[in-house]
Amino acid sequence: MKLDLSGLQSFPSIPGGAVDDLGVDLFAAPSFQLPACSDFDGFQKDAIQMVKPAKGTTTLAFIFKEGVIVAADSRASMGGYISSQSVKKIIEINPYMLGTMAGGAADCQFWHRNLGIKCRLHELANKRRISVTGASKLLANILYSYRGMGLSVGTMIAGWDEKGPGLYYVDSEGGRLKGTRFSVGSGSPYAYGVLDSGYRFDMTVEEAAELARRSIYHATFRDGASGGVASVYHVGPDGWKKLSGDDVGELHYKYYPVAPTPVEQEMTDAPAA
Amino acid sequence: MARYDRAITVFSPDGHLFQVEYALEAVRKGNAAVGVRGTDTVVLGVEKKSTPKLQDSRSVRKIVSLDTHIALACAGLKADARVLINRARIECQSHRLTVEDPVTVEYITRYIAGLQQKYTQSGGVRPFGLSTLIVGFDPYTGVPALYQTDPSGTFSAWKANATGRNSNSMREFLEKNYKETTGQETVKLAIRTLLEVVESGGKNIEIAVLSKEHGLRQLDEAEIDAIVAEIEAEKAAAEASKKAPSKDT
């Protein structure tokens, strides 16, 4: 059974022309041998199921008056085993753009670095920075061309360009959404609860950072697959800056300090008989 | 010498690519074309050779738009132009699709020039026999731009340039008379340049004006005739004032 892979051809391949390109084509469509098995669709489903639990994480990002806040936890889990408490889930694509990691760590890291290369090449060729719109579209197109092959990427691209702050959600299903508030990962429902109820467009950078920090903390409190350190970044007109990285255990006692229990009765020495 | 001009991929001993130079000859035989960049307008003008009576002149458009903010005029082989223009139009849309942004003039010029260069370095093909004048506005900053490409694949930005027949005399005229202009003055400068080498009259000149607000607008014959009349009147007035002082002496 021959599969029709013409849908995987990536832009911009222009038809016609008897000429061959010299050199490596960074935009070539992915091509590798398909596994020879009787049930290809079932195989695809299994491949996706294998990586599905890996989206154990909490990441969030939102746009406000002063730019974009990006925050994430730092726990990596394999089933019930916590494999690391210090994973960098906020990836620095370039000095004015950040990406978040949810899903397969290798997939996220590799494709974000690849995106960074493409952004730099765009800058060099066009003498102007690429927009957040353009960068997120480049990533989304790549992920779409690998659709169904088992990539697991749920990322947010946040940055500041000529049009101001920009935030896009891009995933390995090929989806791409523009928005002002996103949270991705197994802890995202808890983070959304705190984020949505505390969000205002007019916040100072400190207020916004504290909102992000609390949202991540509450998600790590209830979600077993999230934990470690809550990192908060801010993207402004001059680029991104890391604001804080707090251990969520310490945050817990900061928000809910242990009150000393009132003593009902003190033990006294028995009077000497 | 003759042995080095058969296949494009062969250099001559003194470093020439003869096919490219012959392509430039084809350009020199093409119709005259001029482009002028103003501060808020860019103008393209092309010489219109006399249309046969039975030909529908509307089907012979020499100035075309590549996108809503970019226009192109060329001199040389018109059939090659069609192919190049179609590829450029596809690239404009492809760019809009992949980065959600319109192309800059520099980007599409680089693309067209790159295409022209590819055909000077491949087997079994010949270069495109045309030079193009590309005008447009930067989609963000709104700054107008004029670029020229040629069959060798080089490109550069210009304040005003001419190509095709008698391009040297037109360029000399432009060098003497160019100054920063706006709106109608830019159109007049383009027409005056063309009139240096073309029989005067609206039916021998095709003018297109690209402005930020109104996009590409082809001037019709009556408008061109009116401006030509204005120019002739100005010329006559200048002649008269030149003669007047000498009468006193």
Side-chain angles (χ1 to χ4, degrees):
Chain A
M1 178 189 69
K2 194 110 190 331
L3 282 170
D4 172 33
L5 295 165
S6 56
L8 294 174
Q9 295 295 330
S10 56
F11 280 101
S13 58
I14 289 129
V19 291
D20 287 316
D21 275 319
L22 297 160
V24 181
D25 185 2
L26 286 168
F27 298 94
S31 60
F32 49 84
Q33 296 269 15
L34 290 171
C37 60
S38 51
D39 178 21
F40 183 68
D41 291 321
F43 173 82
Q44 280 193 330
K45 237 202 269 180
D46 289 338
I48 292 167
Q49 287 304 325
M50 202 174 75
V51 281
K52 243 201 165 104
K55 278 204 189 143
T57 189
T58 309
T59 60
L60 62 85
F62 59 88
I63 292 180
F64 69 116
K65 195 178 57 161
E66 307 279 351
V68 198
I69 293 286
V70 184
D73 75 315
S74 67
R75 176 176 290 183
S77 49
M78 284 163 25
Y81 172 67
I82 297 174
S83 43
S84 171
Q85 288 272 60
S86 51
V87 177
K88 270 193 73 165
K89 295 193 188 176
I90 297 180
I91 297 157
E92 295 146 12
I93 299 170
N94 61 41
Y96 60 98
M97 249 200 283
L98 292 173
T100 58
M101 179 197 294
D107 289 339
C108 289
Q109 274 181 358
F110 178 87
W111 287 111
H112 278 116
R113 281 206 91 201
N114 186 277
L115 180 64
I117 294 171
K118 288 211 169 73
C119 292
R120 182 67 184 134
L121 287 174
H122 180 102
E123 260 181 54
L124 287 169
N126 296 290
K127 291 183 218 150
R128 130 205 287 177
R129 280 185 187 163
I130 193 170
S131 58
V132 184
T133 316
S136 60
K137 192 114 197 213
L138 284 178
L139 183 64
N141 287 339
I142 294 167
L143 294 179
Y144 183 79
S145 64
Y146 284 93
R147 197 173 131 85
M149 296 195 205
L151 281 187
S152 174
V153 173
T155 183
M156 295 177 284
I157 304 290
W160 188 295
D161 58 28
E162 282 169 5
K163 292 189 226 143
L167 178 61
Y168 285 83
Y169 164 75
V170 178
D171 69 22
S172 46
E173 307 291 295
R176 175 173 165 268
L177 298 171
K178 185 176 154 85
T180 43
R181 292 204 298 274
F182 285 114
S183 178
V184 182
S186 56
S188 61
Y190 312 109
Y192 268 131
V194 177
L195 177 61
D196 287 340
S197 64
Y199 176 83
R200 278 176 304 118
F201 184 76
D202 288 314
M203 281 190 283
T204 63
V205 177
E206 294 77 35
E207 286 174 337
E210 183 54 26
L211 177 65
R213 206 171 297 123
R214 271 194 312 120
S215 309
I216 296 286
Y217 157 73
H218 281 282
T220 61
F221 187 68
R222 289 292 177 181
D223 176 34
S226 304
V229 167
S231 313
V232 181
Y233 283 66
H234 171 245
V235 188
D238 301 319
W240 57 259
K241 185 162 174 265
K242 180 162 184 181
L243 296 178
S244 64
D246 300 292
D247 183 291
V248 295
E250 284 168 22
L251 282 179
H252 172 80
Y253 290 108
K254 193 175 109 182
Y255 294 137
Y256 303 106
V258 179
T261 43
V263 178
E264 285 167 47
Q265 216 178 7
E266 270 211 27
M267 280 177 58
T268 51
D269 285 333
Chain B
M1 273 306 148
R3 275 187 300 157
Y4 297 100
D5 62 8
R6 192 158 300 151
I8 179 61
T9 47
V10 181
F11 271 111
S12 69
D14 55 348
H16 291 261
L17 282 172
F18 278 116
Q19 281 300 310
V20 176
E21 296 188 7
Y22 296 162
L24 280 159
E25 264 306 306
V27 169
R28 256 173 248 136
K29 292 201 167 39
N31 52 250
V34 69
V36 182
R37 183 188 84 190
T39 51
D40 61 353
T41 324
V42 277
V43 181
L44 284 172
V46 184
E47 164 198 12
K48 232 187 342 190
K49 296 209 184 92
S50 54
T51 41
K53 280 209 198 116
L54 294 174
Q55 191 181 66
D56 187 349
S57 56
R58 285 171 307 169
S59 68
V60 190
R61 275 270 155 264
K62 301 215 174 144
I63 303 175
V64 296
S65 60
L66 298 182
D67 203 338
T68 47
H69 60 301
I70 304 208
L72 174 149
C74 53
L77 273 59
K78 287 292 172 284
D80 288 1
R82 217 177 43 238
V83 170
L84 211 53
I85 289 166
N86 283 338
R87 298 267 266 268
R89 283 173 172 164
I90 292 174
E91 180 61 21
C92 286
Q93 296 310 310
S94 177
H95 187 273
R96 275 180 188 263
L97 184 60
T98 42
V99 292
E100 288 191 5
D101 256 341
V103 293
T104 56
V105 192
E106 201 257 341
Y107 178 93
I108 197 64
T109 308
R110 201 165 3 110
Y111 175 79
I112 292 175
L115 213 49
Q116 286 179 296
Q117 191 280 338
K118 247 194 249 189
Y119 282 69
T120 67
Q121 206 177 7
S122 310
V125 296
R126 63 162 175 81
F128 287 98
L130 67 144
S131 291
T132 67
L133 287 169
I134 301 165
V135 295
F137 290 92
D138 185 298
Y140 279 118
T141 59
V143 171
L146 163 67
Y147 283 85
Q148 190 213 32
T149 72
D150 62 26
S152 64
T154 55
F155 72 95
S156 48
W158 294 76
K159 294 182 196 158
N161 200 0
T163 181
R165 248 167 22 99
N166 304 116
S167 57
N168 285 327
S169 23
M170 284 198 282
R171 212 171 296 123
E172 265 180 49
F173 179 83
L174 282 169
E175 280 177 14
K176 262 193 244 141
N177 295 285
Y178 177 82
K179 52 184 197 308
E180 290 281 329
T181 48
T182 57
Q184 196 68 334
E185 282 304 310
T186 322
V187 183
K188 262 206 219 152
L189 180 57
I191 295 181
R192 272 167 57 209
T193 315
L194 266 178
L195 287 177
E196 291 283 306
V197 299
V198 159
E199 282 173 41
S200 79
K203 45 187 187 54
N204 296 313
I205 297 178
E206 194 178 304
I207 298 279
V209 183
L210 185 66
S211 67
K212 238 190 302 174
E213 305 84 40
H214 309 294
L216 188 69
R217 203 171 61 90
Q218 306 264 11
L219 300 185
D220 55 28
E221 262 193 55
E223 279 182 273
I224 299 176
D225 277 331
I227 302 176
V228 169
E230 251 184 77
I231 293 171
E232 313 256 277
E234 279 172 16
K235 242 197 262 183
E239 293 282 325
S241 67
K242 241 194 277 176
K243 286 211 189 99
S246 59
K247 267 197 195 151
D248 294 336
T249 52

